[in-house]
Amino acid sequence: MTLQLSVRSIVKRYGGVVALRDGNLDIQSGEVVSLIGANGSGKSTLSKIITGVVAPNGGQLLLNGHPVHFSNPQAARGRGITAVYQELSLVPDMTVAENIWLAHEPLRLNFRVNRKAMRKNTEDLIALFDGTISERLQPDTLVTVLPPDERQIVEILKALSIDPQLLILDEATASLDSSQVNRLFSLVKQWQAAGKAIIFITHRMDEIFRIADKATVLRNGQSVGTVDIASTSEREIVNMMIESAATPDDIKIPVVSEDAPVRLDVQNLGGGRVEDVSFTLRDGELLGLGGLHGQGQEDLLLALFGAIPYTGRVKVSGKEVHYRHPRDAMKYDIAFVPGDRGREGLLLVRSIIENFQLPSWNKYGMLHNQDAAQRDAHAMADDLQLVYAGMQTPVNSLSGGNAQKVVLGKWLLRHPKLLLLDDPTKGVDVGTKGEFYALLKRLTEAGTAILFYSSDDDELLGLCNRVLVLQDGRVRDTLTGERLTHSELVAASMGATNNHEVA
Amino acid sequence: MKSLNLQRVFARNTYLISFILLVIVLGINYIVQNNVFELRVLNNNLRTLVPLMLLAVGQSIVVIGGGLDLSVGTLVSMLSALLITWVTPDSTPDQILLAVVLVCAAGMLAGLVNGLVVAYLRLQPMITTYATSFIFSGIALLLLPRPGGSIPRDLSTFYRSPLLDIPLAFYAIALLLLFWSVLRTTRYAQYLYATGSSGAAAYATGVPVRVVRVTTYVWSGLFAALASLTLMLSTGGASQANIGDDMTLDSIVAVVLGGTRLSGGQGGIAGAIIGVMILRVIRNVIFFAAVPTWSQTLVNALIIIAALAGPGLIRLIRRSIGR
Amino acid sequence: MNAQTLRRYLTPPLIALLLAIALFFAGGFINPDFINVTQAINIVRLAAFLGIIAAGQTLVIVSGGEGIDLSVGAVVTLAAILTFRITGGDNNLVGVGLLASLSAGFIVGLLNGIGIALLRIPPLVMTLGMTGVVSGTILVVTQGEMLGATPALMSTYIARPLIFGIPGVIIIWVALGVVMWLLMERTTYGKHLFAIGVNRTAARLSGVRVERVVIITYTLAGLLAALGGFMLLGFAQTVLLNLGDPYRFPSIAAVVVGGTMLTGGKGSYWGTMSGALVLTLIDSLLRAMGLAEAYQLIVFGGLLVLLIAVYGRELNLRQ
């Protein structure tokens, strides 16, 4: 069975905001089409319309030449169309198997769920990712105990379980590590050969060139063109997406001098997934944290921010500290930008100013000096080139990149001396990324010490002069100077003990 | 690894802690009231709690599905009034059967109204069912302005006597557990838990979330009907317009004592049944331990709070030692 | 004015207030005697008691985490009984009575907060359990006998017209409204309260001590309920074992009718004030119509469903 889907002039408005003004896309069986665009350009909206999660305000979907209208996700699924979403659609209190087969459970006698078959089928699906996942990922594991990358894999398996004709991967690689991404790509190639159509949404340029046949570019809710990957370049695509762009290579943060004061001195730190980690960080240094996903990078940052209990000795500016709560860490001018901005960083329904000032209200007096708070927030918004309608608008009306600016801004308002960053450019568009890199440079020049975890290897190698590579919660290697290369980073991530490259 | 397994056991069988709690309070009960396990005493004790048990079962289903039903108690009042206006001591079996069917249908209809308002008008369950509880109260008062009513004596005698030397309540519990064990294996149960745990995720996966939400209230209405039937059996048909009103909050406490999380997506009806028993046994203990009348309410409340605080207290202590 | 701007200005609290005014004049159709200054003041006075009792409920509901305080009714009763007993009708002891009431409310609220924040007991059952504890304590202390009296001073300053024919309780209510607005919108506590109502993880990672804010919130709720009980005594003049029970759920309804989200993180006290007015008006209207109690209940329930249907709706799953 072959499939041919055409999306014609789709329009979608949320309240007064136009998310999509003219969305177009063509795909057929055996094709991998990449859908790309800056944050807020309408990619996710378009994919949700194709899968029936969101109802369009105008335009048309043509399936094999006939207009179709999906009134809900089941309708689209009935036609073999499904998606792996960016915001996970898993039910936390159910097991992996129950999640994967939810709403199409194998049945006995037409009403009883056949658990045995469900388990078996789940095992077969999990086997697709064998070798790239931990022992934890079993059919009977509750989804709530899984780390983000393995949840993402469950999400992928769930989409696969209906044997789709058209599969949309919406930022499906964002929380996967490189071995998992490699596996996914080899699977995509297989599916493509088997005649499936795949729409692939990502922010990582290299992935588009590795996997896609065509790329359809969206800008401000409008399709601006489709190019053949074989006959295009990164530059061309970036130019289609935005007017100007910066890559990390344009900005190199200078090596910090040996006599800069030590801001952070960590000895034998343990806690969460972290074990026996020691390092120092000087004022004005941008220290990278690398490695595969979930190797303790996030827990290390959380521990240093007092958000999880830890053991070992931590000195800030030479003074030993004992945190029990993030507020304790904040007293030492430490700030933390969490990895999951929707869940950990923002009060989505509250206003921009309330998000900006949340850590800082104390300084505006018993009864807040509202004018001063407004003034500071406006200054920060201008400084970060925030695009917003007004200080009182809720933060969930902002695009991803702008929302991340609010998370960053709320800490910059406190003028931190030590900044802990957990993958701050994840899901952020290319233009905003460039602004972030410039900001990091400005901050280090002003003497801020920054501990920077990124899942994007290019970013780490491009920006940092020293990278700690974590594996299983331990520092596997420290890369500096000549050794700051892709192959060294990958080797250390995979736990290779010598300096030879791994194939 | 071993502790992990233990944790898993507790996570999957949420009523285990409640069961342990029940065993403890039963032990204390035995100390203060030696004959508690005698057939006659057991029968009397269990019989009076069947209505609340049924109500708590309905409440559990709503809670698992992510809702809350504050109208169940007034619904029992309304349905009891309805039953009593239809059944007299001289009713024929046919008439009684018709009344029973009518009461069940009325209960499900009331639940349907609750469910439609919550799921389709998208109103908050707690405040919606609080509002509808006024309507049910009003109807109860219309049907039964003055306390009264009675049913054929044979019926109440049958309900009072053990069957084959086993208290009738045991059959009720067995039937409930059987009902649940069948329901639990259906696709509907998957939908129920998915809806309660994460409505948005369930919806995106193709679960008919709104329909499932409506059905939970229909279940609750049906169980309220069954509760009012058994309540009338145990009172011999004597009713009043607010006879069930106080059962609402008890049903919620029982659900929580049974280890079901109020935010939904987890738990089961076995927990609710255990929760009702715990509530009852605590009252028994207070009575037989000769606690002065004026102090009984206080002691009862303190014990319930202690029971609720147990898991949290253990967690706090473990955290402060574990560091 | 287009629908967009209309929607922006027509916030739930304003709708509730407009509705209250409309209801008042609707009362005139049913019974022309309904519309007069005395009646208006009387209704606002009744609403004031509910409004004061619902103040703490507003904070608790905004704090999120399924926040709810079912113990307000019992605390109201406790405060009234304490004042009744301690003063024994002596005007000089009114201050002592107030202090004792507030202390009792403080303790009950603090225990609620500790149970909820530290022992992780769901608010609904914790405050329900505390209701039992408070009622039980009342029984133990009073042994069912209501000894004491209400000081004349209290009825003078609370229930009777004080300035320009306006009873003290209304003036106190308005003052409380200002204090509550400042507390919620202009203090760090208020900002932290909304923050934990929206997202506790994000709040904690922004340096908010979530447990502390929760405990403070329930403690304030206890205090405010006790204040409400004290005031209510000045009006009721006498105490009953279930004096406060009729306020338990209406205090929640007033908050919701005022547009505060039951899920937390969004809301206002002036919404609750409007909500209290609306509920009191509906109640008075139904009484003025001379309906039988059964019909009053049915109409009240139906109207409540309609009211929350106007704007109390949850997000649609499909956008």
Side-chain angles (χ1 to χ4, degrees):
Chain A
M1 184 173 111
T2 61
L3 166 148
Q4 204 271 322
L5 179 81
S6 298
V7 179
R8 293 278 169 268
S9 315
I10 291 281
V11 180
K12 176 64 192 178
R13 289 180 295 268
Y14 290 105
V17 185
V18 180
L20 212 51
R21 68 183 82 240
D22 182 17
N24 295 283
L25 179 81
D26 284 281
I27 187 166
Q28 58 189 16
S29 295
E31 251 184 355
V32 178
V33 175
S34 177
L35 187 58
I36 47 179
N39 266 319
S41 60
K43 304 180 300 285
S44 289
T45 308
L46 186 57
S47 72
K48 283 181 182 161
I49 287 169
I50 296 174
T51 53
V53 175
V54 169
N57 300 113
Q60 217 174 15
L61 293 183
L62 297 172
L63 189 60
N64 300 328
H66 304 289
V68 284
H69 170 76
F70 299 133
S71 54
N72 54 40
Q74 296 100 293
R77 200 162 305 153
R79 304 297 292 266
I81 298 174
T82 193
V84 177
Y85 295 114
Q86 203 175 323
E87 316 100 82
L88 300 177
S89 75
L90 299 179
V91 178
D93 293 306
M94 297 177 88
T95 66
V96 169
E98 284 173 331
N99 263 290
I100 289 177
W101 298 99
L102 183 59
H104 60 283
E105 295 88 353
L107 296 182
R108 255 195 251 269
L109 302 173
N110 249 346
F111 82 99
R112 296 188 65 180
V113 174
N114 186 343
R115 296 208 162 252
K116 217 166 144 193
M118 209 161 91
R119 191 167 209 292
K120 174 76 182 56
N121 296 345
T122 308
E123 278 169 351
D124 293 345
L125 284 172
I126 291 175
L128 292 175
F129 280 88
D130 252 354
T132 67
I133 48 175
S134 71
E135 284 290 306
R136 253 187 323 238
L137 187 48
Q138 297 290 334
D140 296 330
T141 313
L142 285 181
V143 160
T144 172
V145 305
L146 293 177
D149 57 330
E150 289 178 358
R151 285 192 201 196
Q152 182 69 59
I153 287 172
V154 174
E155 189 85 31
I156 294 170
L157 299 180
K158 178 175 161 184
L160 276 183
S161 68
I162 69 155
D163 192 23
Q165 294 304 305
L166 170 61
L167 177 64
I168 302 179
L169 294 166
D170 187 353
E171 295 266 352
T173 56
S175 47
L176 300 186
D177 68 37
S178 53
S179 69
Q180 291 162 341
V181 171
N182 289 341
R183 177 64 60 88
L184 177 64
F185 282 2
S186 68
L187 289 171
V188 167
K189 293 266 197 255
Q190 285 173 28
W191 300 332
Q192 185 182 10
K196 291 189 199 303
I198 289 141
I199 297 176
F200 189 80
I201 302 174
T202 182
H203 276 305
R204 297 183 185 169
M205 196 60 78
D206 61 312
E207 294 182 347
I208 298 166
F209 283 85
R210 281 173 64 188
I211 199 76
D213 304 316
K214 292 194 298 187
T216 295
V217 182
L218 282 176
R219 187 165 71 205
N220 293 329
Q222 207 162 3
S223 327
V224 292
T226 299
V227 290
D228 277 329
I229 292 299
S231 57
T232 188
S233 67
E234 285 197 14
R235 268 294 145 199
E236 189 185 348
I237 291 178
V238 168
N239 287 341
M240 284 172 82
M241 286 167 65
I242 46 154
E243 321 313 331
S244 69
T247 60
D249 301 321
D250 301 343
I251 296 161
K252 187 81 184 181
I253 285 150
V255 180
V256 69
S257 97
E258 281 295 316
D259 31 85
V262 172
R263 173 60 56 180
L264 180 67
D265 180 5
V266 176
Q267 291 296 324
N268 312 105
L269 185 94
R273 300 203 63 193
V274 180
E275 271 176 69
D276 197 21
V277 166
S278 305
F279 66 90
T280 57
L281 173 59
R282 291 176 189 279
D283 279 348
E285 185 179 4
L286 179 72
L287 174 59
L289 277 181
L292 301 179
H293 260 283
Q295 299 300 309
Q297 297 96 337
E298 189 187 0
D299 285 350
L300 175 59
L301 297 173
L302 284 172
L304 290 173
F305 194 55
I308 58 171
Y310 63 89
T311 57
R313 203 201 65 201
V314 177
K315 279 186 178 173
V316 177
S317 296
K319 193 165 175 292
E320 189 163 346
V321 294
H322 303 276
Y323 309 138
R324 298 179 61 90
H325 191 277
R327 181 88 7 218
D328 301 334
M330 284 159 65
K331 289 188 187 124
Y332 291 92
D333 298 319
I334 299 176
F336 170 58
V337 173
D340 186 339
R341 65 176 165 266
R343 219 164 48 181
E344 303 168 330
L346 293 169
L347 309 173
L348 288 172
V349 299
R350 302 303 299 184
S351 64
I352 294 174
I353 183 168
E354 281 182 65
N355 275 280
F356 263 143
Q357 297 290 9
L358 182 57
S360 315
W361 284 116
N362 271 333
K363 70 177 180 211
Y364 297 102
M366 270 282 284
L367 282 182
H368 295 154
N369 179 346
Q370 208 69 7
D371 292 342
Q374 286 272 3
R375 203 161 47 236
D376 292 350
H378 274 294
M380 181 51 66
D382 292 346
D383 207 28
L384 292 170
Q385 296 166 22
L386 187 74
V387 182
Y388 65 109
M391 270 299 156
Q392 297 303 329
T393 47
V395 108
N396 54 10
S397 66
L398 298 177
S399 70
N402 279 306
Q404 186 68 313
K405 284 181 183 175
V406 174
V407 181
L408 208 58
K410 78 173 175 186
W411 291 112
L412 297 184
L413 276 167
R414 294 178 61 85
H415 309 292
K417 299 289 193 318
L418 169 58
L419 192 53
L420 310 169
L421 301 174
D422 183 356
D423 219 357
T425 59
K426 178 174 154 187
V428 166
D429 62 272
V430 182
T432 311
K433 273 185 187 174
E435 290 175 34
F436 275 163
Y437 302 148
L439 177 68
L440 292 183
K441 185 170 183 189
R442 279 212 317 272
L443 287 170
T444 50
E445 279 165 1
T448 314
I450 302 178
L451 187 56
F452 175 56
Y453 166 62
S454 174
S455 59
D456 183 341
D457 292 351
D458 291 331
E459 232 170 60
L460 282 179
L461 297 169
L463 291 169
C464 305
N465 291 299
R466 187 159 68 106
V467 175
L468 304 179
V469 185
L470 265 64
Q471 194 204 13
D472 280 339
R474 293 168 186 274
V475 177
R476 187 58 55 183
D477 205 347
T478 305
L479 305 179
T480 52
E482 294 285 288
R483 293 186 57 230
L484 273 173
T485 63
H486 261 285
S487 56
E488 290 279 2
L489 184 54
V490 172
S493 306
M494 309 294 281
T497 41
N498 53 25
N499 297 339
H500 297 298
E501 287 191 21
V502 268
Chain B
M1 198 62 208
K2 197 167 181 187
S3 70
L4 190 85
N5 273 339
L6 208 62
Q7 260 177 0
R8 206 182 246 182
V9 168
F10 277 107
R12 295 248 73 182
N13 302 294
T14 47
Y15 54 84
L16 255 180
I17 294 179
S18 320
F19 189 74
I20 295 168
L21 195 64
L22 176 64
V23 171
I24 295 172
V25 286
L26 263 180
I28 299 172
N29 193 357
Y30 181 72
I31 295 170
V32 296
Q33 183 197 6
N34 277 312
N35 63 354
V36 65
F37 294 114
E38 276 173 24
L39 176 62
R40 186 184 52 83
V41 179
L42 204 59
N43 186 40
N44 282 338
N45 277 339
L46 282 172
R47 193 187 64 226
T48 53
L49 43 102
V50 169
L52 183 58
M53 225 176 245
L54 288 162
L55 211 57
V57 165
Q59 186 73 264
S60 310
I61 297 177
V62 176
V63 169
I64 292 169
L68 191 70
D69 193 345
L70 286 185
S71 71
V72 285
T74 54
L75 198 49
V76 168
S77 303
M78 180 182 95
L79 296 170
S80 301
L82 188 66
L83 184 81
I84 285 316
T85 49
W86 275 63
V87 178
T88 64
D90 309 319
S91 294
T92 63
D94 285 355
Q95 288 170 328
I96 291 172
L97 195 65
L98 183 67
V100 167
V101 171
L102 188 80
V103 165
C104 289
M108 289 166 81
L109 183 69
L112 183 69
V113 171
N114 275 334
L116 289 177
V117 174
V118 168
Y120 285 87
L121 289 181
R122 303 197 306 275
L123 304 188
Q124 288 142 336
M126 183 165 80
I127 198 78
T128 306
T129 52
Y130 168 61
T132 55
S133 73
F134 280 94
I135 301 177
F136 301 149
S137 277
I139 297 175
L141 200 57
L142 272 185
L143 291 171
L144 196 71
R146 279 172 302 281
S150 73
I151 56 171
R153 185 179 291 269
D154 291 353
L155 276 177
S156 29
T157 314
F158 167 75
Y159 184 71
R160 272 188 202 139
S161 335
L163 188 67
L164 301 173
D165 277 350
I166 298 172
L168 216 54
F170 273 122
Y171 296 98
I173 294 172
L175 276 177
L176 282 172
L177 291 178
L178 182 71
F179 153 78
W180 185 247
S181 66
V182 172
L183 192 75
R184 192 70 185 84
T185 61
T186 62
R187 178 178 281 177
Y188 172 77
Q190 300 296 116
Y191 286 1
L192 177 67
Y193 281 86
T195 300
S197 179
S198 168
Y203 179 78
T205 313
V207 173
V209 169
R210 286 197 280 196
V211 176
V212 173
R213 288 215 171 114
V214 174
T215 61
T216 62
Y217 290 92
V218 176
W219 281 122
S220 169
L222 176 64
F223 278 103
L226 297 176
S228 72
L229 293 177
T230 49
L231 186 64
M232 288 304 97
L233 280 172
S234 66
T235 64
S239 187
Q240 58 198 52
N242 61 356
I243 189 162
D245 292 8
D246 290 342
M247 292 166 78
T248 302
L249 295 175
D250 274 350
S251 75
I252 296 171
V253 174
V255 166
V256 175
L257 278 178
T260 298
R261 196 175 55 199
L262 276 182
S263 52
Q266 173 253 38
I269 69 152
I273 293 172
I274 295 170
V276 170
M277 290 193 197
I278 293 175
L279 281 179
R280 170 68 204 202
V281 174
I282 290 173
R283 258 168 231 174
N284 240 14
V285 169
I286 291 171
F287 183 78
F288 282 97
V291 174
T293 324
W294 293 112
S295 312
Q296 286 184 2
T297 312
L298 179 62
V299 175
N300 189 35
L302 286 174
I303 295 174
I304 290 172
I305 288 195
L308 291 169
L313 215 54
I314 293 168
R315 192 184 58 87
L316 270 189
I317 293 166
R318 214 165 44 191
R319 202 173 61 178
S320 55
I321 304 174
R323 287 281 294 278
Chain C
M1 200 190 263
N2 61 21
Q4 193 81 36
T5 43
L6 192 72
R7 182 168 289 191
R8 172 135 34 103
Y9 290 107
L10 217 53
T11 54
L14 191 62
I15 298 175
L17 194 64
L18 293 176
L19 192 73
I21 294 166
L23 276 172
F24 182 67
F25 288 105
F29 280 105
I30 297 155
N31 185 350
D33 294 341
F34 198 78
I35 304 188
N36 61 55
V37 177
T38 323
Q39 176 70 354
I41 287 179
N42 191 35
I43 284 169
V44 178
R45 183 175 65 164
L46 283 175
F49 294 108
L50 176 57
I52 293 169
I53 292 165
Q57 194 70 265
T58 310
L59 298 176
V60 162
I61 288 176
V62 167
S63 79
E66 300 163 28
I68 198 118
D69 189 352
L70 294 186
S71 66
V72 284
V75 173
V76 164
T77 311
L78 178 66
I81 287 179
L82 275 176
T83 311
F84 195 70
R85 228 173 213 247
I86 290 173
T87 62
D90 186 348
N91 281 343
N92 296 321
L93 291 174
V94 169
V96 182
L98 178 63
L99 199 68
S101 301
L102 293 182
S103 313
F106 177 88
I107 292 168
V108 173
L110 184 66
L111 291 176
N112 274 333
I114 289 172
I116 290 158
L118 300 183
L119 299 179
R120 305 278 166 92
I121 303 174
L124 188 85
V125 282
M126 180 66 209
T127 55
L128 188 58
M130 275 312 280
T131 305
V133 172
V134 174
S135 309
T137 309
I138 292 172
L139 286 178
V140 170
V141 172
T142 63
Q143 308 273 311
E145 282 183 88
M146 295 301 151
L147 302 173
T150 310
L153 194 70
M154 285 178 70
S155 89
T156 312
Y157 278 95
I158 293 170
R160 303 251 175 76
L162 194 65
I163 309 166
F164 307 124
I166 298 170
V169 66
I170 296 180
I171 296 164
I172 293 169
W173 190 30
V174 172
L176 180 67
V178 175
V179 172
M180 286 286 290
W181 180 78
L182 287 172
L183 182 71
M184 291 171 80
E185 299 295 334
R186 286 288 182 273
T187 67
T188 304
Y189 163 75
K191 297 297 181 187
H192 287 184
L193 176 70
F194 281 108
I196 67 166
V198 178
N199 182 337
R200 294 197 171 179
T201 309
R204 185 174 126 85
L205 288 176
S206 298
V208 178
R209 294 185 192 274
V210 177
E211 281 87 5
R212 188 185 290 181
V213 178
V214 170
I215 293 174
I216 292 174
T217 302
Y218 281 90
T219 309
L220 280 173
L223 268 176
L224 287 162
L227 176 67
F230 175 83
M231 308 289 274
L232 191 61
L233 178 65
F235 174 69
Q237 300 287 315
T238 184
V239 289
L240 306 159
L241 276 177
N242 60 355
L243 180 74
D245 289 4
Y247 289 95
R248 184 201 265 173
F249 282 108
S251 71
I252 299 163
V255 174
V256 175
V257 169
T260 296
M261 293 208 308
L262 260 184
T263 43
K266 246 184 168 178
S268 64
Y269 182 59
W270 91 273
T272 303
M273 294 172 86
S274 316
L277 279 171
V278 171
L279 292 184
T280 311
L281 265 162
I282 294 176
D283 199 51
S284 309
L285 263 176
L286 292 177
R287 279 176 215 280
M289 286 163 72
L291 283 181
E293 195 196 346
Y295 291 108
Q296 281 187 32
L297 289 170
I298 294 172
V299 175
F300 184 81
L303 281 176
L304 199 52
V305 173
L306 276 181
L307 270 180
I308 38 186
V310 176
Y311 46 71
R313 301 177 66 162
E314 297 186 322
L315 288 177
N316 197 347
L317 290 167
R318 180 179 163 90
Q319 292 123 355

